Each structure stands twice: as structure tokens, then as C-alpha cells.
Amino acid sequence: EARVNEQIWRNSAVETERMGFDAARARGAMALFGEKYGDEVRVLTMGEGFSVELCGGTHVKNTADIGLFKIKSEGAIASGVRRIEALCGPAAEDYLKEVEAAEAEAKTAHLEKLETLNQALAALGIDPLPVDSSATAETVKAAAIEAEKALKKAQSAAAVAQANDLLEQARTLESGLKILIAKVDAPDPSPLRSMAGHLAGQLGESLVLLGAAIDGKVSLCAQASPTAIEAGYKAGDIVRELTGKLGGKGGGKPNFAMGGAPDNGGLETELGNFIKKE
């Protein structure tokens, strides 16, 4: 692209000649494979020999008339054959404006996402990841990705810390099976999975049932050990039952299940009723 534009801006005249096919090839003219040429051909020379081609069409009088050359795409069209698609003149300028507008839109979206992530990080006591307003869309996107990684790491650590505080709430049945049912704080449903796994690992043979109210919705997560399943505590059945009572749906395997429902204020009541029933 840079090489072509350099030739355009040199404003060199386009030379048109007619000559025999063999003479044109000897001069270095490019002939397309599969095309048929007569004894006499039309030869175009542009950029003082930069481009010498056989062509029967009309062209500009000098390279500057092209204005601007912008590659739009490049890719394979057949085995060993690749194609470059490009625009020139006003079409190239319009394309660049479209690209610029798309980049500005993407940058705005990435900045909004980064701001949201930084607010979440600040709420967890972690320094935000600032970015210069003049940065490119790709730079802002990269910053947002790093902020998202930092947030997930922080949320995971917070979830483990919260889970450790819940261990004392576990009840031990006469059979030795431990049951832990609790409402927890979570920014989204994903930490419930890690919290349930951590608690189950700490408790051993157990049933862990966690619920959280998140942005107008309720999320439930249950994890049951083999002994718990044998005792009738199947995670899928428990989540299906509770989400159904809350106006939602959920379920899963006997050892692990998740589900959701609208937050109608009944989460604590249903968890309490389940505790009493057990």
C-alpha cells in the first residue's frame, strides 16, 4: 500500500503503447494466466516502469489522478493464489471515514466497559487501571481486558474469603454428613460456583447450597458429595425445586447444579424453609 501510494504521489505520466505480444513480454509486461492475447497488445506503463501491464481498458493520464490507494482486504481465492482488494480516490476516502467512525465507536464502548470494571475494582479496594483518553481503541480494549482479569482474580479471592467465613454455619447430621445452606453476596452468578467448590472441599462429605440476589435476579448453586447423593440430597433436584418455588428454573446433575429466578424477596424464606425441612 505504501509503495503504491508513493508512485501515485510522484505524479508520473501513464504511457500507452501498442506492440507485439512477445515484445511486450520482453519488456516485462505482466500477462494474466488463462487470458488470451492477440498478436498486438496494449501496454500500460506507470510510475516510470514501476508497473508494466497488458490491458485493453482505459486509465488515468497520470498516477496522481488516482488520488489515494487503500487496501481493504487480502485473502486466498484458490490454491497458491491470493487476492488484494483495494479502493482508490473518493471511495478510499469514504472507506477511511467509515473505519475511523467504527474505531471511535469501539473506543467509546471499551472506555465505558473499562469505567465499569474500574468502579468494581475500586469497590473491592483495588486501584483502577487508568488509560489516556487519547489512546487508540486497541489500547483501551487491552486495558479493559487487563481490568477484567484483575476483577475476576479479586472476586475469586473475595469469594474464597467469604466462603471461609461460612464454614462455621455448617450443620453436621447424625450420619456425619455436613449441610451448609447460606445466602451470600456476589456480583454475578459465577463466584457461586467457586465458593461452593471451595466449601465442599473444606467440608468433605457434604451438601452445599448457596443463594444470592443479583441485580433483580436470584441465583442458586448446589454441590453434593457422593454420600450426600446417596442420602437423597441431589443438587439438581434441590435447585430445580427451589427455583420453581421462586418462579424460575434450574437444575443439573446430582453432584452439581445452578439455577435462577426473579428476585421477589423470597430467597431467604425458601432457604430458611429448606433448612427447617432438613
Side-chain angles (χ1 to χ4, degrees):
E1 184 178 288
R3 290 170 63 196
V4 171
N5 279 313
E6 181 183 355
Q7 295 300 322
I8 291 173
W9 298 328
R10 284 185 176 183
N11 193 21
S12 59
V14 176
E15 300 175 0
T16 304
E17 301 176 84
R18 289 188 176 278
M19 62 183 70
F21 179 74
D22 292 338
R25 292 300 305 274
R27 184 180 290 191
M30 180 183 295
L32 298 179
F33 179 77
E35 292 288 337
K36 294 182 179 180
Y37 298 94
D39 294 335
E40 186 181 69
V41 292
R42 184 171 181 265
V43 181
L44 290 177
T45 301
M46 292 170 278
E48 301 175 355
F50 176 79
S51 175
V52 182
E53 300 186 42
L54 304 180
C55 184
T58 57
H59 285 272
V60 296
K61 293 182 178 179
N62 60 65
T63 58
D65 290 344
I66 299 172
L68 175 67
F69 174 83
K70 178 63 182 176
I71 293 177
K72 187 176 181 180
S73 65
E74 184 276 336
I77 59 172
S79 178
V81 181
R82 303 190 73 80
R83 171 188 289 159
I84 288 177
E85 294 185 4
L87 300 171
C88 62
E93 294 179 7
D94 290 342
Y95 174 68
L96 288 175
K97 290 177 182 178
E98 292 175 4
V99 171
E100 185 177 354
E103 289 181 348
E105 184 177 350
K107 179 178 176 179
T108 298
H110 295 320
L111 280 171
E112 291 176 352
K113 181 178 181 180
L114 179 60
E115 182 179 359
T116 301
L117 291 168
N118 277 335
Q119 289 175 353
L121 286 171
L124 293 172
I126 299 174
D127 292 336
L129 298 178
V131 65
D132 195 303
S133 59
S134 63
T136 64
E138 284 299 315
T139 299
V140 179
K141 179 181 179 181
I145 291 174
E146 289 303 313
E148 190 168 21
K149 290 179 180 178
L151 180 60
K152 287 182 178 180
K153 183 178 180 180
Q155 288 175 338
S156 178
V160 170
Q162 185 180 176
N164 287 333
D165 292 338
L166 294 173
L167 287 172
E168 296 180 358
Q169 299 182 28
R171 295 185 298 115
T172 303
L173 304 183
E174 292 182 1
S175 62
L177 182 69
K178 295 180 180 179
I179 295 182
L180 175 55
I181 302 171
K183 179 182 178 182
V184 299
D185 295 323
D188 58 72
S190 57
L192 294 181
R193 179 187 293 267
S194 58
M195 291 177 71
H198 177 76
L199 288 166
Q202 295 293 313
L203 294 173
E205 293 296 338
S206 61
L207 166 68
V208 177
L209 174 61
L210 303 177
I214 307 166
D215 296 331
K217 296 181 180 180
V218 164
S219 290
L220 286 167
C221 178
Q223 183 159 334
S225 68
T227 300
I229 295 172
E230 290 178 4
Y233 297 100
K234 297 180 180 179
D237 293 344
I238 293 171
V239 170
R240 189 176 299 108
E241 176 187 345
L242 290 178
T243 52
K245 290 181 178 179
L246 292 168
K249 59 182 180 179
K253 298 180 179 180
N255 64 323
F256 182 83
M258 294 190 73
D263 185 7
N264 53 21
L267 175 60
E268 291 189 64
T269 299
E270 292 302 331
L271 289 178
N273 290 339
F274 189 84
I275 293 174
K276 292 176 183 178
K277 181 178 70 173
E278 301 308 318

